[in-house]
Amino acid sequence: MHTFEFIRPADHAVAIATAAQSKTAQQGADVRFLGGGTTLLDLMKLNVETPARVLDVNRLPLDKIETTSDGGLKIGAMVRNSDLANDAKVQKDYLVLSQAILQGASAQIRNMATVGGNLLQRTRCVYFRDTAMACNKREPGSGCPAITGHNRTLAILGASEHCIATNPSDMCVAMAALEATVHIQGTKGSRAVAFGDFHVLPGNTPHRETVLEAGDLITYVTLPAPIAGSKQGYLKLRDRASYEFALASAAVVLTISSGSISRARIALGGVGTKPWRSVEAEHALTGKPANDATFRQAADAALRGAKPQSENKFKIELAKRCLVHSLRMATAT
Ligand SMILES: Cc1cc2nc3c(=O)[nH]c(=O)nc-3n(C[C@H](O)[C@H](O)[C@H](O)COP(=O)(O)OP(=O)(O)OC[C@H]3O[C@@H](n4cnc5c(N)ncnc54)[C@H](O)[C@@H]3O)c2cc1C
Ligand code: SF4
């Protein structure tokens, strides 16, 4: 691993001002915040990330889970994934989030990983993680060997001719379905970004993954007030039962009144270049009876725009079945 300066900023202002000296907050940043380190340190060992300065923000007071005045939840960026998943209010009112986090990584990693870091975890595309290979995300303009190479686990939604990498997060899929908001503090003050706008599609700039600019510190995430009686669930399909990333996953949040679906929020994981909210599936579900025929129509709608690569056509049917089954499970109780 290359050498770097390790800094523990005293407060937000120092952290933000120091990080703002970086040329970017995206791939190639020369200053990086450190959360749990489970993504950053891995990538530094591989020389995929080579920051000159690492700012340990673990001591900033961002580790609380609090109820907001409108009955929602405010989750500090330094809250550990385990603490969030096991929080009593999350388990009661935002079950989909607890389930998604608990199906990710391992207990040890979840104990270290933070909410802020999870929002920014990087793709597991093997070419991205190997500096001997070309990769547009790591080195803009160098090419995308995945398109003609190993792409079994990569994206079928939201890809471009420059990058087909999957966003690997489970937590983010649940946050997309819960319509979370990401709160950011930067050199120009604070701002709130709707979850669906936080990650960006690769287009012709795959090195750019989020709306973050140099100096931007994620401070917390908020969730809207829970909807009484909503039916929720997260289903993750993968090559082995634990310690593996999703090939396809689905987060569902439904409200059912008099046997029909009055509100649906649907997001897919493992198939998109960003956590994939499917408004197409939501429209197909709304106003319909909660039965298998409706669920299949929603799944067909969600995957209608899918563009498979040479090795991952199977993901289309897998993702459809994943969504159908998660809807079945959520509505069975
Ligand atoms: C073996 C293994 C298996 C895994 N399996 C899964 C899985 O199945 N599902 C899944 O979803 N995830 C999985 N993960 C990924 C894991 O969830 C992430 O590594 C973790 O969530 C990242 O959080 P962190 O706090 O450790 O991030 P860090 O590594 O500390 O940081 C990640 C990035 O976020 C930036 N950052 C951190 N905090 C902030 C902040 N407050 N503001 C701005 N930038 C910030 C850092 O600078 C860095 O660029 C796995 C990881 C490993 C190593
Ligand atoms: S899919 Fe994206 S991350 Fe993977 S090699 Fe291509 S450009 Fe790089």
PDB file of all heavy atoms in Angstrom, residues 26 136-137 140 160 162-163 200-210:
ATOM      1  N   GLN A  26     -14.729  12.063  -6.327  1.00  0.00           N
ATOM      2  CA  GLN A  26     -15.008  10.831  -7.068  1.00  0.00           C
ATOM      3  C   GLN A  26     -13.709  10.018  -7.217  1.00  0.00           C
ATOM      4  O   GLN A  26     -12.758  10.257  -6.494  1.00  0.00           O
ATOM      5  CB  GLN A  26     -15.605  11.204  -8.429  1.00  0.00           C
ATOM      6  CG  GLN A  26     -16.825  12.120  -8.326  1.00  0.00           C
ATOM      7  CD  GLN A  26     -18.047  11.428  -7.736  1.00  0.00           C
ATOM      8  OE1 GLN A  26     -18.230  10.232  -7.894  1.00  0.00           O
ATOM      9  NE2 GLN A  26     -18.909  12.176  -7.047  1.00  0.00           N
ATOM     10  N   ASN A 136     -12.732   2.048 -17.470  1.00  0.00           N
ATOM     11  CA  ASN A 136     -13.154   3.455 -17.606  1.00  0.00           C
ATOM     12  C   ASN A 136     -13.502   4.102 -16.281  1.00  0.00           C
ATOM     13  O   ASN A 136     -13.376   5.313 -16.118  1.00  0.00           O
ATOM     14  CB  ASN A 136     -14.390   3.546 -18.515  1.00  0.00           C
ATOM     15  CG  ASN A 136     -14.035   3.390 -19.979  1.00  0.00           C
ATOM     16  OD1 ASN A 136     -12.934   3.746 -20.397  1.00  0.00           O
ATOM     17  ND2 ASN A 136     -14.958   2.848 -20.753  1.00  0.00           N
ATOM     18  N   LYS A 137     -13.965   3.310 -15.353  1.00  0.00           N
ATOM     19  CA  LYS A 137     -14.352   3.869 -14.045  1.00  0.00           C
ATOM     20  C   LYS A 137     -13.108   4.266 -13.254  1.00  0.00           C
ATOM     21  O   LYS A 137     -13.078   5.291 -12.594  1.00  0.00           O
ATOM     22  CB  LYS A 137     -15.171   2.830 -13.258  1.00  0.00           C
ATOM     23  CG  LYS A 137     -15.790   3.386 -11.983  1.00  0.00           C
ATOM     24  CD  LYS A 137     -16.547   2.338 -11.206  1.00  0.00           C
ATOM     25  CE  LYS A 137     -17.939   2.089 -11.699  1.00  0.00           C
ATOM     26  NZ  LYS A 137     -18.827   3.269 -11.607  1.00  0.00           N
ATOM     27  N   PRO A 140     -10.471   6.940 -16.648  1.00  0.00           N
ATOM     28  CA  PRO A 140     -11.367   7.364 -17.731  1.00  0.00           C
ATOM     29  C   PRO A 140     -10.701   7.273 -19.103  1.00  0.00           C
ATOM     30  O   PRO A 140      -9.547   7.668 -19.277  1.00  0.00           O
ATOM     31  CB  PRO A 140     -11.678   8.821 -17.359  1.00  0.00           C
ATOM     32  CG  PRO A 140     -11.548   8.861 -15.873  1.00  0.00           C
ATOM     33  CD  PRO A 140     -10.447   7.902 -15.529  1.00  0.00           C
ATOM     34  N   SER A 160     -24.098   1.782 -19.696  1.00  0.00           N
ATOM     35  CA  SER A 160     -23.779   2.557 -20.900  1.00  0.00           C
ATOM     36  C   SER A 160     -22.703   1.802 -21.667  1.00  0.00           C
ATOM     37  O   SER A 160     -22.172   0.792 -21.192  1.00  0.00           O
ATOM     38  CB  SER A 160     -23.268   3.950 -20.523  1.00  0.00           C
ATOM     39  OG  SER A 160     -21.945   3.871 -20.023  1.00  0.00           O
ATOM     40  N   HIS A 162     -19.873   2.661 -21.868  1.00  0.00           N
ATOM     41  CA  HIS A 162     -18.600   2.931 -21.191  1.00  0.00           C
ATOM     42  C   HIS A 162     -18.448   2.158 -19.884  1.00  0.00           C
ATOM     43  O   HIS A 162     -17.337   2.013 -19.380  1.00  0.00           O
ATOM     44  CB  HIS A 162     -18.475   4.427 -20.916  1.00  0.00           C
ATOM     45  CG  HIS A 162     -18.569   5.249 -22.151  1.00  0.00           C
ATOM     46  ND1 HIS A 162     -17.546   5.313 -23.071  1.00  0.00           N
ATOM     47  CD2 HIS A 162     -19.573   6.003 -22.651  1.00  0.00           C
ATOM     48  CE1 HIS A 162     -17.909   6.100 -24.084  1.00  0.00           C
ATOM     49  NE2 HIS A 162     -19.138   6.520 -23.852  1.00  0.00           N
ATOM     50  N   CYS A 163     -19.549   1.693 -19.315  1.00  0.00           N
ATOM     51  CA  CYS A 163     -19.461   0.971 -18.032  1.00  0.00           C
ATOM     52  C   CYS A 163     -20.758   0.220 -17.763  1.00  0.00           C
ATOM     53  O   CYS A 163     -21.853   0.777 -17.935  1.00  0.00           O
ATOM     54  CB  CYS A 163     -19.186   1.950 -16.889  1.00  0.00           C
ATOM     55  SG  CYS A 163     -19.036   1.156 -15.266  1.00  0.00           S
ATOM     56  N   VAL A 200     -25.526   8.479  -9.551  1.00  0.00           N
ATOM     57  CA  VAL A 200     -25.788   8.873 -10.939  1.00  0.00           C
ATOM     58  C   VAL A 200     -25.452   7.712 -11.879  1.00  0.00           C
ATOM     59  O   VAL A 200     -24.645   6.835 -11.553  1.00  0.00           O
ATOM     60  CB  VAL A 200     -24.990  10.141 -11.328  1.00  0.00           C
ATOM     61  CG1 VAL A 200     -25.433  11.327 -10.481  1.00  0.00           C
ATOM     62  CG2 VAL A 200     -23.489   9.927 -11.203  1.00  0.00           C
ATOM     63  N   LEU A 201     -26.088   7.732 -13.043  1.00  0.00           N
ATOM     64  CA  LEU A 201     -25.828   6.687 -14.041  1.00  0.00           C
ATOM     65  C   LEU A 201     -24.440   6.880 -14.653  1.00  0.00           C
ATOM     66  O   LEU A 201     -23.934   8.008 -14.707  1.00  0.00           O
ATOM     67  CB  LEU A 201     -26.903   6.750 -15.135  1.00  0.00           C
ATOM     68  CG  LEU A 201     -28.322   6.410 -14.680  1.00  0.00           C
ATOM     69  CD1 LEU A 201     -29.316   6.641 -15.810  1.00  0.00           C
ATOM     70  CD2 LEU A 201     -28.397   4.969 -14.191  1.00  0.00           C
ATOM     71  N   PRO A 202     -23.822   5.805 -15.156  1.00  0.00           N
ATOM     72  CA  PRO A 202     -22.443   5.937 -15.659  1.00  0.00           C
ATOM     73  C   PRO A 202     -22.329   6.831 -16.891  1.00  0.00           C
ATOM     74  O   PRO A 202     -21.372   7.612 -16.988  1.00  0.00           O
ATOM     75  CB  PRO A 202     -22.032   4.497 -15.981  1.00  0.00           C
ATOM     76  CG  PRO A 202     -23.311   3.737 -16.113  1.00  0.00           C
ATOM     77  CD  PRO A 202     -24.292   4.416 -15.204  1.00  0.00           C
ATOM     78  N   GLY A 203     -23.276   6.736 -17.814  1.00  0.00           N
ATOM     79  CA  GLY A 203     -23.188   7.541 -19.042  1.00  0.00           C
ATOM     80  C   GLY A 203     -21.789   7.483 -19.618  1.00  0.00           C
ATOM     81  O   GLY A 203     -21.180   6.404 -19.705  1.00  0.00           O
ATOM     82  N   ASN A 204     -21.252   8.649 -19.989  1.00  0.00           N
ATOM     83  CA  ASN A 204     -19.857   8.654 -20.482  1.00  0.00           C
ATOM     84  C   ASN A 204     -18.870   9.154 -19.424  1.00  0.00           C
ATOM     85  O   ASN A 204     -17.729   9.485 -19.741  1.00  0.00           O
ATOM     86  CB  ASN A 204     -19.732   9.436 -21.801  1.00  0.00           C
ATOM     87  CG  ASN A 204     -20.249  10.849 -21.660  1.00  0.00           C
ATOM     88  OD1 ASN A 204     -20.477  11.290 -20.525  1.00  0.00           O
ATOM     89  ND2 ASN A 204     -20.444  11.536 -22.762  1.00  0.00           N
ATOM     90  N   THR A 205     -19.343   9.177 -18.141  1.00  0.00           N
ATOM     91  CA  THR A 205     -18.438   9.536 -17.031  1.00  0.00           C
ATOM     92  C   THR A 205     -18.567   8.512 -15.893  1.00  0.00           C
ATOM     93  O   THR A 205     -18.981   8.856 -14.782  1.00  0.00           O
ATOM     94  CB  THR A 205     -18.752  10.952 -16.492  1.00  0.00           C
ATOM     95  OG1 THR A 205     -20.161  10.997 -16.156  1.00  0.00           O
ATOM     96  CG2 THR A 205     -18.416  12.038 -17.485  1.00  0.00           C
ATOM     97  N   PRO A 206     -18.223   7.252 -16.139  1.00  0.00           N
ATOM     98  CA  PRO A 206     -18.437   6.234 -15.096  1.00  0.00           C
ATOM     99  C   PRO A 206     -17.587   6.428 -13.846  1.00  0.00           C
ATOM    100  O   PRO A 206     -17.893   5.841 -12.800  1.00  0.00           O
ATOM    101  CB  PRO A 206     -18.077   4.915 -15.802  1.00  0.00           C
ATOM    102  CG  PRO A 206     -17.352   5.278 -17.032  1.00  0.00           C
ATOM    103  CD  PRO A 206     -17.757   6.673 -17.407  1.00  0.00           C
ATOM    104  N   HIS A 207     -16.538   7.265 -13.931  1.00  0.00           N
ATOM    105  CA  HIS A 207     -15.743   7.539 -12.725  1.00  0.00           C
ATOM    106  C   HIS A 207     -16.537   8.403 -11.748  1.00  0.00           C
ATOM    107  O   HIS A 207     -16.168   8.540 -10.592  1.00  0.00           O
ATOM    108  CB  HIS A 207     -14.437   8.240 -13.111  1.00  0.00           C
ATOM    109  CG  HIS A 207     -14.655   9.513 -13.864  1.00  0.00           C
ATOM    110  ND1 HIS A 207     -15.024   9.536 -15.186  1.00  0.00           N
ATOM    111  CD2 HIS A 207     -14.588  10.805 -13.474  1.00  0.00           C
ATOM    112  CE1 HIS A 207     -15.165  10.786 -15.592  1.00  0.00           C
ATOM    113  NE2 HIS A 207     -14.915  11.572 -14.567  1.00  0.00           N
ATOM    114  N   ARG A 208     -17.616   8.980 -12.213  1.00  0.00           N
ATOM    115  CA  ARG A 208     -18.465   9.821 -11.362  1.00  0.00           C
ATOM    116  C   ARG A 208     -19.681   9.004 -10.933  1.00  0.00           C
ATOM    117  O   ARG A 208     -20.506   8.628 -11.758  1.00  0.00           O
ATOM    118  CB  ARG A 208     -18.882  11.056 -12.169  1.00  0.00           C
ATOM    119  CG  ARG A 208     -19.655  12.022 -11.391  1.00  0.00           C
ATOM    120  CD  ARG A 208     -19.791  13.402 -12.058  1.00  0.00           C
ATOM    121  NE  ARG A 208     -20.447  14.280 -11.112  1.00  0.00           N
ATOM    122  CZ  ARG A 208     -19.830  14.899 -10.125  1.00  0.00           C
ATOM    123  NH1 ARG A 208     -18.535  14.807 -10.005  1.00  0.00           N
ATOM    124  NH2 ARG A 208     -20.491  15.627  -9.252  1.00  0.00           N
ATOM    125  N   GLU A 209     -19.804   8.708  -9.630  1.00  0.00           N
ATOM    126  CA  GLU A 209     -20.841   7.779  -9.166  1.00  0.00           C
ATOM    127  C   GLU A 209     -21.954   8.449  -8.363  1.00  0.00           C
ATOM    128  O   GLU A 209     -23.013   7.858  -8.179  1.00  0.00           O
ATOM    129  CB  GLU A 209     -20.193   6.677  -8.319  1.00  0.00           C
ATOM    130  CG  GLU A 209     -19.207   5.862  -9.130  1.00  0.00           C
ATOM    131  CD  GLU A 209     -18.573   4.717  -8.360  1.00  0.00           C
ATOM    132  OE1 GLU A 209     -18.612   4.731  -7.115  1.00  0.00           O
ATOM    133  OE2 GLU A 209     -18.036   3.821  -9.022  1.00  0.00           O
ATOM    134  N   THR A 210     -21.659   9.634  -7.836  1.00  0.00           N
ATOM    135  CA  THR A 210     -22.646  10.325  -6.999  1.00  0.00           C
ATOM    136  C   THR A 210     -22.576  11.826  -7.304  1.00  0.00           C
ATOM    137  O   THR A 210     -21.726  12.269  -8.080  1.00  0.00           O
ATOM    138  CB  THR A 210     -22.339  10.141  -5.494  1.00  0.00           C
ATOM    139  OG1 THR A 210     -21.101  10.816  -5.210  1.00  0.00           O
ATOM    140  CG2 THR A 210     -22.229   8.688  -5.106  1.00  0.00           C
TER     141      THR A 210
END
